[in-house]
Structure formats: C-alpha cells, structure tokens
Amino acid sequence: MKSTVKSINETKFEVTCEVEEKAWKDAQEKARKKLYEKLEIKGFRKGHVPPDIAKKHVNEGEVFNEAINVVLPDTFAHAMEDNKLRPLIQPQVAVEKFSTSSLTLKFTVITAPKVTLGNYKGIKIAKKEVKVTDKDVDDEIKQLLDQNAELVLKEGEAKKGDTVILDFEGFVDGKPFEGGKAENYELALGSGQFIPGFEDQLIGLKKDDKKDVKVTFPKDYVENLKGKEATFKCVIHEVKEKKVPALNDDTVKELKLPNVNSVAELKASKHNEIEKRKKGEVENAYYNELVDAIVKNAKVAVADEIITEEVKNMKANLTQRIEQNGLKFDQYLQITGQKLEDLEKKMKADAEKNIKAYLVLEEISAKEGITISDADLQAEYKHFADLYKMEVKKVEEIFSKDINSLKNQIASRKLHDKLVELNK
C-alpha cells in the first residue's frame, strides 16, 4: 500500500492511500459473498442462492460500499503506522477514486497537539482538615435507624412523615392526561415526590377518605402541562406511620453489622466510616486541584475538531441517560430550566478542560516512565481474586476481554501516586 501525507497544520493531516490491487479485489469478493449470503429469494434457502442468480439481485454499488468497509480498518491502521501518526479522534474518510481494479482513500486525521509541560513538581496545595463531629455520627445512626423502620397501619389521620397508599387520577381542563393516573401508589408525605402542594393536601385524611387535590404545575415543567392548573381525584386506602427502632444494644444486635454489638461499638464504627469517607473526599479534592494547577502551568492548544467531537459524545451520552429515564431531550431542558446553547457552552468548556488534562497527564506519564508491568497486572488480579473470593485464573480470564481498560486504571493510579509524591 502506498500512502502520502499532506500537513494542513500542526495537528491536522491528509493521508492519501492507494490500496493494493490484490487486496482491493479480494475485498470485493468478500463483500460479494457476504451480500449473496444475505439474499432471500423465493425458491432458495437464505445463503444458498446460486452466484449467477444472486449477481442479478446485487448491484455493484453495494459491493463497492461493502468492500470499502472490508479494507478500511487495515488500510487506516497501516497508514497511521507507516507515517507515525497518532489520531486523537475518528478520521474523516473520502473515496478519491475507485474502479474494479483500484481504490484510493483519503483520511483527514487530527492528531494530539504538542504539549509543553510547565512546573508539575513541588506545587503546594493545602488540604482541608478532616473532622468528625458527634452530630455527624448521630445523623448517620439516625439515617440507619430510619432505613430499618417499619411502616405500621394506623387508624387516625395522616400526618407529615406518614405514608399513604392511594389511587389518583389527574385532570387538566376536565380531561385526563398521560402519566397522571396510578393505583395503590405508596407516597410518603413530605418526601417531595409530587409537585408542590400535592402532598400537603393529603395531610389529615384517613382510610377510605376521598379528596380532589388542586395544584398548579410549575412553569419549568413539561411543555404540555407547565403552568396549568390540575385536579387530582384521590382515594386513600391505607395510612401508615413509621416506627423507628429505639437506639439500644438490642436494636444494634438486630442490625447484624460485622463486629458491632452495642451502641458504643456502633458509634465507633460510624465514626471510622465517616472519617474514612471524608479523608477520601479531601484526597480527591486535593488531587483535582493539583491537576488543575499542573494543567494551568502547561501549554497545549486543542483543535476545535477535537472539542466538537467530545461535545458530540457528551451530548449523545446525556441523551441516552435521559431517554433511559423515560424523557425526551427537550423535556429534560424544560424540567432543568436550561437552554440548549448554555448547556452546549458548558459542555464545550468541560470538554476542553478534560482533554487538556488528559493530554498533560499522558505527557507526564511518558516523561516519568510510568508503565504497566506483568507484575502490576498479576498484583491486580490477586487483589480482585481476594476481594471476590475467586481464583486468580478466573479473574485473569475476565479481564482479558478488556485488558486495556484495566491497564488504564493501573496507570492512572500509578500516576496519581507519583504526582502526590512529587508535590508533597
């Protein structure tokens, strides 16, 4: 394969590749065979259509497109290796010319920019002092007891903090709306699950009571409901109150926490948990601040195309998460009160910051000679084997499917430790 490189700027290159005739013809044969196997023609089983008949049902344009997909990965990989280019994002691909005997492809490649490191050693950043108060411990224990509370049926009126089991159906302008109906719904009064004003109007109701709850949807709600008045016809089936267990040694034993059998031991255990968590938060905040300072000291210009691609990926990931929660992107913007241009502006700033940090840290890793050895991998396998009570061989087998991800995690940790050591 022949390839030529044209430099557009420091990070942008056009790489033109002439695919070898044999490789191109072999790719066409593979493509043709693949397309023939997909054919479904009456009188023949799928994948068993005779070539002379199949040929009439597959045009050459389809063959060329499929054949290009066949040769593309290897062609690109060899071109990058031959010209010592390291692309940072997916390249743009164009077909310069093609025929049955020749194919010329052009890749527009964006590579990592040059990174000029500034000072990344001896940076003094103060760490916050870790303090665990009695209130911190008491709050944690209160939360633990709340989680182990029982809901007990009560005959009286519902109070704030009680839970009601109800049916409801919502109406706007006298008509029911989508998502406004439920049966035997469990609602904790005061939890803020429903729109403002709804839960408060259920306080004071008893079993079998009925009530029309009138509310106004917030102005930042979904488009078809925002700002509108609604009436919810509600029927209360049950009222339950929360019975929180008393804090004593017997209750602590019933919680069956490891090595905790008394109130004193519970308080000591929670103190240690909180202290460990706060220390972790302080360490993370320190490291993030350290990395920000190191990146600020460095010089690196990130191409607009790289930032645009990262924003595209960020937006796609956000959209996927929104849709998994049953919303559309426009509804998400309405509920959160954001404008698309403001969201994209923030994404752009975050993308540039993240990419710069990635490039600077990668440069430091290279300069400090941070590598992953077989011993590092074996230690990681043993760690997970001990953690999950598995055989080391089994752990190794699991990670072999995505070994690069594991290596990146180890490298990240080693770099973290190195930078902390260099900036004590």
Side-chain angles (χ1 to χ4, degrees), residues 50-218:
D52 57 333
I53 296 175
K55 187 175 182 180
K56 297 175 183 178
H57 293 270
V58 174
N59 65 55
E60 286 303 296
E62 290 179 289
V63 174
F64 281 142
N65 285 336
E66 186 61 39
I68 289 170
N69 290 333
V70 171
V71 298
L72 199 56
D74 283 346
T75 302
F76 179 68
H78 287 306
M80 295 304 99
E81 186 178 348
D82 292 346
N83 295 287
K84 294 181 174 55
L85 294 175
R86 188 166 64 91
L88 200 59
I89 58 174
Q90 288 292 325
Q92 293 180 354
V93 185
V95 178
E96 290 286 279
K97 64 178 184 178
F98 72 92
S99 67
T100 56
S101 60
S102 67
L103 174 69
T104 302
L105 299 172
K106 183 171 78 174
F107 300 100
T108 302
V109 178
I110 306 295
T111 63
K114 180 183 177 183
V115 176
T116 303
L117 293 175
N119 178 37
Y120 65 89
K121 302 177 183 179
I123 300 172
K124 300 300 179 185
I125 293 174
K127 289 184 185 179
K128 291 181 181 178
E129 188 179 349
V130 173
K131 287 184 179 179
V132 180
T133 65
D134 290 342
K135 184 178 182 305
D136 291 333
V137 174
D138 291 342
D139 287 346
E140 287 268 328
I141 292 175
K142 182 179 181 300
Q143 187 178 1
L144 177 64
L145 294 175
D146 281 344
Q147 289 169 354
N148 286 272
E150 288 184 279
L151 289 177
V152 180
L153 283 173
K154 64 182 282 189
E155 294 298 325
E157 298 178 347
K159 297 185 297 185
K160 189 172 184 179
D162 286 347
T163 293
V164 295
I165 309 298
L166 77 157
D167 297 344
F168 63 83
E169 184 171 15
F171 298 83
V172 171
D173 298 329
K175 297 178 181 179
F177 57 88
E178 186 180 353
K181 183 178 180 179
E183 294 180 353
N184 294 314
Y185 191 91
E186 186 174 283
L187 176 63
L189 303 182
S191 62
Q193 287 184 56
F194 281 24
I195 58 176
F198 186 100
E199 295 169 24
D200 291 341
Q201 293 180 58
L202 299 181
I203 292 173
L205 299 184
K206 303 186 294 296
K207 179 184 177 182
D208 297 327
D209 281 353
K210 297 179 181 179
K211 183 169 184 176
D212 288 353
V213 173
K214 295 183 179 181
V215 293
T216 300
F217 284 105

Side-chain angles (χ1 to χ4, degrees), residues 240-256:
K240 297 179 179 182
E241 62 181 339
K242 185 186 286 186
K243 291 289 186 183
V244 179
L247 179 60
N248 54 45
D249 289 352
D250 289 337
T251 297
V252 172
K253 288 174 184 175
E254 287 176 7
L255 294 174
K256 295 181 179 178

Side-chain angles (χ1 to χ4, degrees), residues 154-340:
K154 64 182 282 189
E155 294 298 325
E157 298 178 347
K159 297 185 297 185
K160 189 172 184 179
D162 286 347
T163 293
V164 295
I165 309 298
L166 77 157
D167 297 344
F168 63 83
E169 184 171 15
F171 298 83
V172 171
D173 298 329
K175 297 178 181 179
F177 57 88
E178 186 180 353
K181 183 178 180 179
E183 294 180 353
N184 294 314
Y185 191 91
E186 186 174 283
L187 176 63
L189 303 182
S191 62
Q193 287 184 56
F194 281 24
I195 58 176
F198 186 100
E199 295 169 24
D200 291 341
Q201 293 180 58
L202 299 181
I203 292 173
L205 299 184
K206 303 186 294 296
K207 179 184 177 182
D208 297 327
D209 281 353
K210 297 179 181 179
K211 183 169 184 176
D212 288 353
V213 173
K214 295 183 179 181
V215 293
T216 300
F217 284 105
K219 291 182 179 179
D220 58 356
Y221 210 66
V222 294
E223 186 64 34
N224 61 320
L225 294 175
K226 64 179 182 179
K228 291 185 177 180
E229 292 184 358
T231 298
F232 286 85
K233 294 185 178 297
C234 300
V235 180
I236 305 297
H237 294 307
E238 292 179 349
V239 178
K240 297 179 179 182
E241 62 181 339
K242 185 186 286 186
K243 291 289 186 183
V244 179
L247 179 60
N248 54 45
D249 289 352
D250 289 337
T251 297
V252 172
K253 288 174 184 175
E254 287 176 7
L255 294 174
K256 295 181 179 178
L257 299 173
N259 303 316
V260 175
N261 296 293
S262 67
V263 173
E265 289 174 351
L266 178 62
K267 287 185 176 183
S269 174
K270 284 297 172 185
H271 186 284
N272 291 337
E273 280 181 26
I274 297 167
E275 185 175 51
K276 185 178 179 180
R277 184 173 68 242
K278 284 190 172 186
K279 282 182 177 179
E281 290 168 355
V282 166
E283 288 298 325
N284 286 338
Y286 163 77
Y287 187 67
N288 289 337
E289 196 174 342
L290 176 62
V291 169
D292 286 344
I294 289 169
V295 173
K296 190 176 179 181
N297 290 342
K299 290 181 181 178
V300 51
V302 182
D304 290 339
E305 291 94 336
I306 297 173
I307 296 172
T308 299
E309 184 69 16
E310 182 63 13
V311 169
K312 180 181 172 183
N313 292 334
M314 291 167 74
K315 193 173 177 183
N317 289 335
L318 176 60
T319 301
Q320 185 181 33
R321 292 199 303 272
I322 291 168
E323 290 175 349
Q324 285 172 348
N325 289 319
L327 290 174
K328 294 180 180 177
F329 193 82
D330 289 344
Q331 291 175 323
Y332 168 79
L333 291 177
Q334 291 163 12
I335 291 170
T336 57
Q338 297 184 82
K339 292 181 179 178
L340 179 59

